[in-house]
Amino acid sequence: MPVKRRNHGRNKKNRGHVKPIVCSNCGRLCPKDKAVKRFMIKDIVDASFKKDLEAATAFSEPYAVPKLCLKNQYCISCAIHARIVRVRSNEDRKNRDPPLRSKPDQKKKE
C-alpha cells in the first residue's frame, strides 16, 4: 500500500512506544515524536513598561530585562490550523531540508 510520508509523520525509529504530550492549544494527547514543537521567546514586561523602568532606574548602565522562554507543543491539527506548519504538495513533501530561517537585518560593515 502506498504511503504518504517516508517516516509516517513521526520521528520514532526503533522505539515501540513514546510518551504522549499535551497540546498547548487544545489539550489533546499527542505522541511526543509526532508533535510540532516551537520555542517562543518574549519579554517579561511590555515595551511601554520597559521605558518606564529605564527612566526610573538608579543605575547608569541600562538594565537588561530577562526574557521568558516557552516551549509550545502542538498536535498536528492545531499546528495546521494556526499555520505553524503548512500542507505541502507531493513533490515538496519529498524535500527533507529544514526551511530557510529569516535572519534579522544585519548592519552593513563599511
Side-chain angles (χ1 to χ4, degrees):
M1 189 161 169
V3 293
K4 201 169 189 180
R5 287 170 192 84
R6 169 181 148 161
N7 62 357
H8 305 286
R10 301 186 65 158
N11 193 16
K12 179 182 70 68
K13 301 293 184 211
N14 203 21
R15 276 182 227 118
H17 180 77
V18 292
K19 299 226 176 201
I21 57 103
V22 178
C23 175
S24 299
N25 192 27
C26 67
R28 172 185 287 170
L29 287 178
C30 174
K32 184 179 179 186
D33 60 334
K34 192 171 190 171
V36 177
K37 298 170 259 313
R38 294 289 183 267
F39 278 102
M40 183 171 63
I41 300 170
K42 61 182 183 179
D43 289 326
I44 291 179
V45 297
D46 59 341
S48 62
F49 188 66
K50 193 186 282 189
K51 288 179 186 174
D52 294 341
L53 276 177
E54 289 174 5
T57 187
F59 299 112
S60 59
E61 66 261 359
Y63 175 68
V65 179
K67 294 185 180 284
L68 186 66
C69 186
L70 297 170
K71 184 176 185 181
N72 290 332
Q73 297 175 319
Y74 300 99
C75 64
I76 292 296
S77 56
C78 286
I80 292 172
H81 182 72
R83 296 191 184 106
I84 296 164
V85 292
R86 306 272 172 131
V87 177
R88 297 192 292 173
S89 66
N90 266 345
E91 291 302 314
D92 288 344
R93 266 185 234 137
K94 290 173 178 39
N95 180 10
R96 294 174 56 84
D97 297 333
L100 295 173
R101 300 178 98 183
S102 60
K103 294 182 181 176
D105 295 333
Q106 296 177 351
K107 295 179 181 176
K108 294 180 182 177
K109 296 179 182 176
E110 295 179 2

